[in-house]
């Protein structure tokens, strides 16, 4: 009869015996237990490896590591003590044995990959929006709508937003990746997978987050340039060595301007975080309109769920930068695409502010801005105004420096014209507004829920959570069938959403052991959408 033991990976000599039925029904694992052994009563022969299906039948949490050891084996700490007393092997021999073990493990892993790589992939289908029937249909692969309207000049292109997971952040947060095998987490394994995803999806514009600076400089930039991309990069301003990269195919676009955005302000205590963004103005390469332009914004907002004040201020700075770049000569805005990891969930106040263009934050708790926590710990109410006046950004999320200069000059003239004997008049200060606004009517590429079931889609999944925090927002044309209600065409022309790469549910992702896994080497999924630029 088999004996089953739960064994602590930190203290291997501590074991807890359990019957097979207890293992199958168990849903709670003692604190500190990160692996379990399956042992025979009177045999040193290891049991057969447990398959993924067998693992699921135990009821134990995914991410536990299965260790096949015999019951009579000595605890590892004891073996080390004994080894130090009687081991006479030289360092060279130890190195040789270690290398042989690594080679053996790699060989076994490669054999395993051959059998599981196909099974370890969850297929993501392409969702195409039919502009005439105003419906969405699911396709096996991306197709382009070939409909032709003479009054419109069409330019179709694809945009990807992808948080590729900085290796430095991965190694600083190992608790998020307990479910992963260690070999899947090394950069030399991850980067070829990430590059392969980028090649396969073949987007015309890439908005990447968590791009580590040394990796960008040594291999990411050159690899993407070999694929026909021009790359712009902005590193974080603090100690963390990652940043945002926006890349575009030179065969489809030319660069008009590139503006790196720093959210850190040395003289403003509120803005003491090192997050960044990039705002590019691109010119499509087609012959109908020589002055056509598209604004591409890419960012990674602060994670901290309890600092909604910082998140909103960072977003306001980014929107102000877009507003300074996107205006056209006729007073309208060029189409805008806003991508990134916003560290906020669908339906949260920050999310609604982006989509609806307005937010009354009076009485709003600072921990509820992003909606990341079901029971937020940040109960402090947002101050009015959120950011100080010296930031130079109005409640409409535009730079007001010129307006301030005009007001100051007008005030000086009024003061000079004031009679010397005039009495001072006390005027009650005007109540400060708690309403934020921005000029862009943006729609989300994704609806965030599976249409048939209403189950939430997710864009990131690791040991701690599975949620949506990554988005592609865009300025929709009037006749865009995929636009959310309220999206108005305040732009020159606008964008039609032609299709998108479907997202997955948390259940889907855990069928391949979460993220990262053997085929997907980030803890985020890439988002991909196809647009049509409409010029009138």
């Amino acid at each position: 009869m088999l004996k089953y033991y739960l064994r602590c990976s930190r203290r291997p000599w501590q074991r807890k015996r359990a019957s097979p039925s207890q293992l199958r029904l168990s849903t709670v694992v003692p604190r500190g237990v990160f692996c379990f052994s399956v042992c025979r009563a009177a045999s040193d022969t290891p049991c057969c490896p447990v398959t993924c299906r067998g693992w699921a039948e135990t009821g134990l949490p995914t991410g536990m590591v299965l260790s096949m050891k015999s019951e009579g084996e000595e605890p590892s700490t004891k073996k080390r003590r004994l080894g130090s007393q009687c081991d006479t092997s030289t360092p060279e021999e130890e190195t040789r044995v270690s290398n042989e073990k690594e080679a053996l493990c790699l060989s076994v892993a490669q054999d395993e990959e051959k059998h599981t790589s196909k099974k370890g992939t969850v297929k993501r289908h392409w969702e195409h929006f039919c502009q005439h029937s105003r419906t969405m249909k699911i396709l096996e692969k991306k197709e382009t709508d070939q409909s032709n309207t003479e009054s419109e000049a069409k330019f179709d292109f694809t945009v990807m937003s992808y948080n590729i997971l900085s290796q430095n952040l991965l190694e600083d947060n190992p608790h998020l990746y307990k479910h992963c095998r260690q070999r899947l987490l090394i950069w030399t394994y991850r980067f070829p997978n990430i590059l392969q995803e980028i090649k396969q999806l073949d987007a015309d514009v890439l908005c990447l987050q968590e791009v580590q600076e040394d990796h960008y400089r040594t291999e990411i930039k050159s690899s993407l340039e070999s694929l026909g991309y021009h790359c712009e990069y902005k590193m974080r301003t603090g100690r963390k060595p990652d940043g945002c990269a926006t890349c575009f195919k030179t065969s489809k676009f030319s660069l008009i301007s590139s503006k790196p955005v720093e959210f850190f302000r040395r003289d403003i205590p509120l803005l003491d975080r090192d997050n960044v963004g990039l705002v590019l103005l691109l010119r499509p390469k087609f012959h109908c309109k020589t002055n056509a332009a598209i604004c591409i914004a890419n960012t990674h907002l602060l994670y901290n769920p309890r600092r909604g004040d910082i998140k909103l201020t960072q977003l306001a700075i980014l929107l102000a930068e877009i507003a300074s770049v996107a205006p056209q000569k006729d007073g309208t805005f060029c189409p805008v695409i806003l991508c990134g990891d916003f560290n906020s969930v669908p339906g949260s106040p920050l999310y609604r502010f982006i989509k609806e263009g307005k937010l009354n934050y009076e009485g709003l708790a600072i921990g509820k801005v992003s909606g990341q926590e079901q029971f937020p710990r940040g109960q402090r109410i947002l101050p009015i105004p959120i950011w100080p006046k010296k930031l130079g950004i109005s409640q409409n999320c535009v730079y007001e420096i010129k307006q301030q200069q005009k007001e100051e000059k007008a005030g000086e003239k009024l003061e000079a014209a004031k009679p010397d004997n005039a009495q001072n008049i006390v005027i009650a200060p005007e109540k400060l507004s708690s309403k934020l606004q921005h000029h862009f009517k943006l729609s989300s590429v994704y609806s965030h829920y599976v249409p048939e079931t209403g189950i939430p889609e997710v864009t990131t999944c690791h040991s701690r959570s599975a949620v949506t925090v990554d988005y592609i927002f865009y300025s929709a044309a009037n006749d865009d069938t995929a636009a959310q209600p309220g999206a108005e065409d305040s732009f020159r022309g606008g964008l039609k959403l032609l299709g998108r790469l479907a997202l997955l549910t948390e259940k889907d992702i855990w069928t391949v052991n979460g993220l990262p896994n053997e085929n997907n080497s980030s803890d985020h999924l890439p988002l991909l959408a196809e647009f049509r630029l409409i010029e009138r």
Side-chain angles (χ1 to χ4, degrees):
M1 177 181 176
L2 287 175
K3 292 182 181 178
Y4 292 82
Y5 291 91
L6 288 172
R7 187 169 65 173
C8 177
S9 60
R10 293 177 181 171
R11 295 179 294 277
W13 58 91
Q14 294 183 1
R15 300 183 182 184
K16 180 181 178 181
R17 184 173 175 179
S19 69
S21 60
Q22 288 174 322
L23 276 181
R24 284 195 296 272
L25 300 176
S26 174
T27 56
V28 179
V29 179
R31 181 180 295 276
V33 176
F34 297 100
C35 66
F36 72 89
S37 300
V38 182
C39 307
R40 295 185 183 276
S43 173
D44 291 336
T45 305
C47 301
C48 297
V50 175
T51 63
C52 293
R53 179 179 298 176
W55 180 276
E57 289 174 354
T58 66
L60 291 169
T62 55
M64 303 277 291
V65 179
L66 182 63
S67 176
M68 294 299 172
K69 303 293 182 183
S70 62
E71 184 181 20
E73 184 180 356
E74 297 285 358
S76 58
T77 52
K78 184 176 179 181
K79 288 202 298 186
R80 281 197 295 270
R81 289 197 298 268
L82 291 174
S84 63
Q85 295 173 4
C86 59
D87 187 12
T88 59
S89 59
T90 64
E92 291 78 8
E93 290 175 341
E94 290 179 355
T95 302
R96 178 181 57 79
V97 172
S98 176
N99 291 338
E100 289 175 354
K101 288 181 178 179
E102 288 182 6
L104 179 61
C105 291
L106 182 60
S107 175
V108 172
Q110 289 173 342
D111 289 341
E112 182 182 352
E113 282 180 31
K114 292 178 182 178
H115 295 289
T116 62
S117 60
K118 292 183 179 179
K119 295 181 180 179
T121 303
V122 178
K123 192 169 185 180
R124 297 174 62 186
H125 56 261
W126 185 260
E127 296 175 338
H128 175 73
F129 292 95
C130 301
Q131 300 298 326
H132 300 298
S133 61
R134 295 181 176 269
T135 59
M136 181 190 74
K137 64 179 180 180
I138 296 174
L139 305 173
E140 289 298 318
K141 60 181 180 178
K142 182 169 72 70
E143 292 181 5
T144 304
D145 184 9
Q146 301 297 330
S147 61
N148 186 24
T149 306
E150 293 182 359
S151 62
E152 298 175 343
K154 294 183 294 298
F155 175 79
D156 296 352
F157 63 101
T158 53
V159 176
M160 176 198 290
S161 183
Y162 193 10
N163 182 327
I164 65 172
L165 180 57
S166 159
Q167 188 67 22
N168 183 270
L169 292 176
L170 183 155
E171 293 171 2
D172 285 348
N173 298 276
H175 61 284
L176 300 180
Y177 311 105
K178 292 178 182 178
H179 62 285
C180 301
R181 283 178 285 177
Q182 286 303 307
R183 69 177 184 83
L184 304 182
L185 300 179
I186 59 175
W187 179 247
T188 51
Y189 182 93
R190 293 178 56 232
F191 178 60
N193 269 0
I194 292 170
L195 189 61
Q196 179 59 35
E197 276 188 295
I198 292 173
K199 285 181 182 178
Q200 183 178 350
L201 295 177
D202 194 31
D204 298 314
V205 179
L206 304 175
C207 292
L208 307 178
Q209 303 88 42
E210 290 194 23
V211 181
Q212 194 163 305
E213 192 275 336
D214 57 337
H215 293 156
Y216 174 79
R217 180 170 26 87
T218 58
E219 51 188 335
I220 296 177
K221 185 174 186 285
S222 57
S223 297
L224 293 179
E225 286 177 342
S226 69
L227 297 177
Y229 292 99
H230 171 84
C231 303
E232 295 287 322
Y233 179 72
K234 176 58 184 173
M235 182 181 169
R236 283 214 239 181
T237 52
R239 296 181 179 179
K240 294 179 180 177
D242 67 280
C244 294
T246 302
C247 316
F248 60 89
K249 285 192 174 179
T250 55
S251 60
K252 299 276 283 192
F253 297 96
S254 59
L255 180 64
I256 300 174
S257 66
S258 175
K259 180 65 186 293
V261 183
E262 296 182 358
F263 299 139
F264 176 80
R265 297 288 192 277
R266 192 176 302 278
D267 59 337
I268 300 178
L270 174 67
L271 293 171
D272 61 349
R273 307 306 165 95
D274 57 6
N275 305 83
V276 295
L278 271 171
V279 179
L280 270 61
L281 198 61
L282 301 180
R283 176 165 289 125
K285 290 186 175 180
F286 66 104
H287 305 292
C288 298
K289 295 283 184 179
T290 57
N291 59 346
I294 300 171
C295 181
I296 306 288
N298 177 20
T299 193
H300 188 180
L301 299 185
L302 177 71
Y303 166 76
N304 193 336
R306 297 182 295 281
R307 294 308 304 266
D309 52 345
I310 298 179
K311 291 174 191 276
L312 283 172
T313 307
Q314 290 180 346
L315 179 60
I317 294 173
L318 185 67
L319 291 171
E321 289 290 351
I322 296 172
S324 68
V325 168
Q328 303 295 286
K329 292 180 180 179
D330 61 358
T332 62
F333 290 105
C334 72
V336 173
I337 296 176
L338 175 58
C339 299
D341 180 344
F342 292 84
N343 277 312
S344 301
V345 302
S348 65
L350 187 143
Y351 173 87
R352 294 201 312 272
F353 174 52
I354 294 175
K355 279 187 57 180
E356 298 172 7
K358 58 185 179 180
L359 174 67
N360 186 349
Y361 60 87
E362 184 175 6
L364 179 61
I366 198 171
K368 292 184 178 180
V369 169
S370 64
Q372 292 165 277
E373 295 180 333
Q374 187 175 1
F375 304 103
R377 288 170 282 177
Q379 297 299 328
R380 180 164 58 90
I381 302 300
L382 284 169
I384 303 174
I386 299 174
W387 54 81
K389 193 172 182 64
K390 66 179 178 180
L391 180 60
I393 295 176
S394 72
Q395 295 286 92
N396 293 328
C397 298
V398 295
Y399 286 115
E400 56 182 6
I401 296 175
K402 292 183 179 180
Q403 182 178 348
Q404 284 180 347
Q405 292 173 345
K406 289 180 180 179
E407 289 175 356
E408 288 173 2
K409 289 180 180 179
E412 290 172 1
K413 290 179 180 179
L414 184 63
E415 187 67 26
K418 184 179 178 181
D420 294 337
N421 60 351
Q423 295 181 354
N424 292 327
I425 301 174
V426 178
I427 301 175
E430 183 182 354
K431 183 181 178 181
L432 295 172
S433 173
S434 61
K435 296 179 181 179
L436 294 180
Q437 290 181 316
H438 67 76
H439 296 287
F440 312 107
K441 302 295 183 180
L442 300 173
S443 292
S444 173
V445 164
Y446 290 92
S447 57
H448 316 305
Y449 296 91
V450 179
E452 299 82 8
T453 63
I455 298 174
E457 299 170 331
V458 301
T459 65
T460 181
C461 181
H462 50 64
S463 295
R464 289 288 180 91
S465 68
V467 292
T468 286
V469 294
D470 307 276
Y471 303 94
I472 301 177
F473 297 102
Y474 69 104
S475 50
N478 275 334
D479 54 351
D480 179 42
T481 59
Q484 283 81 15
E488 300 172 7
D489 189 9
S490 57
F491 304 83
R492 176 187 294 170
L495 297 170
K496 279 186 179 180
L497 178 61
L498 301 182
R500 66 193 180 198
L501 184 63
L503 288 172
L504 302 171
T505 66
E506 180 181 2
K507 183 178 179 181
D508 293 333
I509 296 175
W510 279 116
T511 61
V512 289
N513 199 38
L515 297 172
N517 55 51
E518 293 195 5
N519 297 289
N520 309 100
S521 287
S522 172
D523 58 351
H524 291 247
L525 293 172
L527 281 60
L528 181 67
E530 183 178 23
F531 298 101
R532 172 167 294 168
L533 174 64
I534 307 299
E535 283 289 326
R536 291 182 172 85

